[in-house]
Amino acid sequence: MTRPFEIALGILTAIGGFVEIGELVAMSLIGARFGLNLAWALVIAVIGIIIFAEMSGRVAAVSQRPVFDVVRERLGPSIGLVNLVGSFVITAATAAAEIAAVALAIELVTSVAYLLWIPLVGFGVWLVIWRVNFKVMENVTALLGLLLAVVVVAVFRMDPDWGVLAGEALHPSIPDGEGGARYWYFAIGILGAAFMPYEVFFFSSGAVEEGWTRKDLLAEKSNAIAGFAVGGVLALGFMAASALFLQPRGIEVEHLSHVVLPTAMVLGKIGLAVLLVGIVAATFGAALETSLSCGYMIAQYFGWQWGKFVPPMDDARFHAVTLVTVFGASMLVLTGIDPIHLTEILIVFSAIALPLTYFPVLVVANDPSYMGAKTNRALSNALGLTFFGVLVVASIAAIPLMIVTKAGS
Amino acid sequence: MSGSRARKVVAVSLACALGACAWQPRDATVYAAKAVEASEHVRSVTQTAVVVVSAAARGSIAFATAVVMMREAETDAGSAGDTFARFQPPDEASMEIRDAVVRALEGAASAIADARVALLSRRPDDLHRAAPRLQRWASVLALMAERHR
């Protein structure tokens, strides 16, 4: 594979891999309630995830050590364990939400109740993790996930008044009927959706799986910057589609069907089919990533052999954790828990757990004994510290705002 | 059974009994807020049904997708109505609110159920008739929410 093609493929997979159930639900829900008045929060979140994804990828490529390995070493076993438990619970529950999202999308095609699809989807996730090569798995799901771009086409087909949209995005205000507390609660929700803890674990562990070295740093930087930036445009597309179609009709987002409604109405059956394939690919890909991330974090914390690049016989405990995660996540969904409400809660708890995940990344990226010449420069540090401050404030404010707003209701 | 153990059993039983009771609004303002919440929620559900039924009548939405959306709308409208009906009105004025809102919620739920039947039986004429009826109930619910806000 030629170098430019490899970089382009990496960027495309990063774009397709950015949007998953958290973004789909959060962006559509927020667009329907707040229009584009919270678009600024998405821009900040995308800048933040670019900074930290680049940093964690660089740490992994240079030190050949993924993030959780570093978390345990830097925070110590006790705080590392707290981080492990928090991150594992959130990531495993996210895996459940992703598996449910795949089943919900299939339900929209077949009209067969989504709970009946859960065992099949769970089995499919495990089978792919067990049998399929890491690169193939990542590239196929992420490239098909690019079909989500159909929502941007739908936004253009709605022929909106771009001046009004830009005005809302650039001069945000709190819409009537939505208090300040709810506005800030959902702003934190956007951060949580963009910054699910598993993303940094998967990005850095993936770098080790794919054998990145210092030579791959340009590709790594391009993936993080271009991939997440364009992925952010897709997320903005969902917010805009909801703002243009659902908000004027007073329709709230409570099901996955509400997420697809604007595109289905504007582009008809073909548009809906393309979007559903994109959703299945994106959420299936995220189900693989979250399940693998659970295996990565446990194995890395306890110092076990891990990774798909190792024959399963040699890292049986890693594969066992992954299998138990997929099974447990499927069982959680089968209890009948509402996957959309689960996602809404998860993105807020994800925001609460973020500083514990991102602090060690920032510390190690500044440590010359690990990073050598690739230690953070002044600009990276200034941006990283600023953004870390934002994460800490969001983390502290999340629970009080959740209580005051009754989880945004 | 010792005294302290008996007290523990009584305390746990009481806690379980209280936990099983639905929370009840204690004043009219809170009750009116519940009425607004239910009306707005079912209005949203009814508006979804309007969009889906109109698209189905034009043949511009996949049948399976429309069926799922209408099933969700029917379930949501029914459960929102049931939840609101369980709240005890705290005074006479709230009783009037209850009667009006429950009537509107039930009307909307019934219109959604009829529209779903029309969809399942693939009768375009019935679907064409269902959309304006649903729109009327959505307007009634919007009015309800506005009046009690």
Side-chain angles (χ1 to χ4, degrees):
Chain A
M1 207 186 291
T2 62
R3 192 80 179 147
F5 181 74
E6 208 173 316
I7 292 176
L9 185 63
I11 292 170
L12 289 175
T13 53
I15 297 167
F18 179 75
V19 179
E20 39 76 57
I21 188 69
E23 272 86 19
L24 290 173
V25 171
M27 298 312 146
S28 303
L29 189 151
I30 288 166
R33 286 179 68 165
F34 296 89
L36 289 189
N37 287 296
L38 276 167
W40 61 267
L42 177 61
V43 174
I44 289 178
V46 169
I47 293 171
I49 191 76
I50 287 172
I51 294 166
F52 277 97
E54 188 279 325
M55 233 181 263
S56 56
R58 179 157 39 92
V59 168
V62 173
S63 69
Q64 294 297 305
R65 294 178 64 186
V67 167
F68 221 92
D69 208 358
V70 174
V71 166
R72 186 179 186 278
E73 184 180 290
R74 284 292 164 156
L75 298 183
S78 307
I79 298 180
L81 186 64
V82 173
N83 192 348
L84 175 69
V85 172
S87 300
F88 183 85
V89 170
I90 291 172
T91 306
T94 309
E98 305 291 356
I99 288 171
V102 178
L104 284 167
I106 298 174
E107 182 188 25
L108 284 172
V109 180
T110 60
S111 84
V112 174
Y114 78 97
L115 287 174
L116 294 174
W117 293 108
I118 296 291
L120 275 178
V121 175
F123 179 72
V125 168
W126 171 76
L127 196 63
V128 170
I129 289 175
W130 182 251
R131 298 293 304 168
V132 180
N133 170 279
F134 186 88
K135 270 195 175 169
V136 172
M137 175 195 97
E138 198 188 16
N139 291 345
V140 169
T141 53
L143 289 176
L144 282 173
L146 285 173
L147 292 175
L148 293 174
V150 72
V151 78
V152 179
V153 178
V155 169
F156 277 91
R157 276 293 292 273
M158 286 182 213
D159 195 18
D161 183 335
W162 294 103
V164 172
L165 278 186
E168 215 170 70
L170 298 174
H171 305 286
S173 60
I174 302 173
D176 293 340
E178 304 282 3
R182 277 194 209 129
Y183 185 79
W184 290 106
Y185 176 76
F186 282 105
I188 290 173
I190 290 179
L191 279 184
F195 268 81
M196 292 281 192
Y198 84 85
E199 284 173 1
V200 72
F201 300 139
F202 185 78
F203 201 75
S204 66
S205 303
V208 178
E209 290 263 25
E210 292 184 342
W212 286 7
T213 61
R214 283 167 191 266
K215 282 189 291 183
D216 298 299
L217 285 176
L218 175 66
E220 183 266 330
K221 195 170 265 189
S222 316
N223 288 2
I225 295 174
F228 286 127
V230 184
V233 173
L234 290 191
L236 187 63
F238 280 95
M239 194 189 273
S242 278
L244 291 167
F245 191 88
L246 302 181
Q247 194 185 28
R249 292 168 175 81
I251 296 175
E252 299 161 13
V253 171
E254 295 189 53
H255 303 282
L256 188 69
S257 57
H258 290 129
V259 174
V260 304
L261 194 58
T263 305
M265 291 302 125
V266 175
L267 298 178
K269 291 175 188 172
I270 304 257
L272 175 65
V274 172
L275 182 62
L276 286 174
V277 173
I279 289 178
V280 168
T283 52
F284 192 85
L288 297 171
E289 292 177 4
T290 45
S291 305
L292 277 169
S293 294
C294 286
Y296 289 146
M297 60 179 92
I298 296 262
Q300 288 162 15
Y301 178 85
F302 289 107
W304 301 340
Q305 180 64 274
W306 60 272
K308 279 175 62 58
F309 60 97
V310 180
M313 281 291 281
D314 296 335
D315 61 353
R317 286 179 291 192
F318 162 75
H319 277 282
V321 172
T322 308
L323 173 61
V324 169
T325 304
V326 175
F327 181 75
S330 304
M331 295 309 280
L332 177 64
V333 182
L334 285 173
T335 61
I337 191 170
D338 182 340
I340 301 300
H341 286 156
L342 175 66
T343 307
E344 287 171 28
I345 298 294
L346 272 174
I347 56 180
V348 177
F349 276 94
S350 155
I352 295 166
L354 288 176
L356 276 177
T357 306
Y358 288 89
F359 177 68
V361 178
L362 195 55
V363 172
V364 173
N366 267 299
D367 188 338
S369 63
Y370 278 97
M371 302 298 292
K374 299 297 175 188
T375 306
N376 266 2
R377 302 260 168 85
L379 179 65
S380 297
N381 268 338
L383 290 171
L385 277 172
T386 307
F387 205 80
F388 184 71
V390 172
L391 293 183
V392 171
V393 171
S395 171
I396 294 168
I399 292 274
L401 284 174
M402 193 179 202
I403 295 167
V404 169
T405 63
K406 294 178 189 163
S409 63
Chain B
M1 192 185 287
S2 72
S4 77
R5 196 166 169 202
R7 272 197 297 275
K8 277 182 195 162
V9 170
V10 171
V12 169
S13 309
L14 203 61
C16 291
L18 286 172
C21 293
W23 174 84
Q24 294 295 337
R26 281 168 296 178
D27 65 59
T29 319
V30 177
Y31 189 81
K34 289 279 167 205
V36 171
E37 198 179 299
S39 304
E40 284 185 337
H41 179 52
V42 178
R43 183 180 70 102
S44 156
V45 170
T46 312
Q47 281 288 4
T48 307
V50 171
V51 171
V52 174
V53 163
S54 307
R58 290 193 307 270
S60 60
I61 186 170
F63 179 72
T65 309
V67 168
V68 175
M69 289 178 175
M70 290 303 291
R71 186 166 64 206
E72 289 169 349
E74 191 177 356
T75 308
D76 289 352
S79 67
D82 288 347
T83 304
F84 179 70
R86 274 204 291 270
F87 294 127
Q88 191 70 37
D91 55 24
E92 273 302 308
S94 300
M95 282 293 280
E96 286 174 21
I97 294 176
R98 181 185 193 281
D99 290 345
V101 171
V102 167
R103 205 176 313 127
L105 296 177
E106 285 176 354
S110 161
I112 292 170
D114 291 346
R116 190 166 90 89
V117 171
L119 176 73
L120 288 172
S121 52
R122 298 177 191 247
R123 291 194 301 260
D125 289 348
D126 289 357
L127 283 173
H128 280 297
R129 274 193 295 273
R133 186 178 161 214
L134 287 165
Q135 189 63 65
R136 273 197 301 279
W137 280 113
S139 305
V140 169
L141 287 163
L143 201 67
M144 261 330 134
E146 199 52 50
R147 188 179 296 165
H148 303 301
R149 198 181 298 279

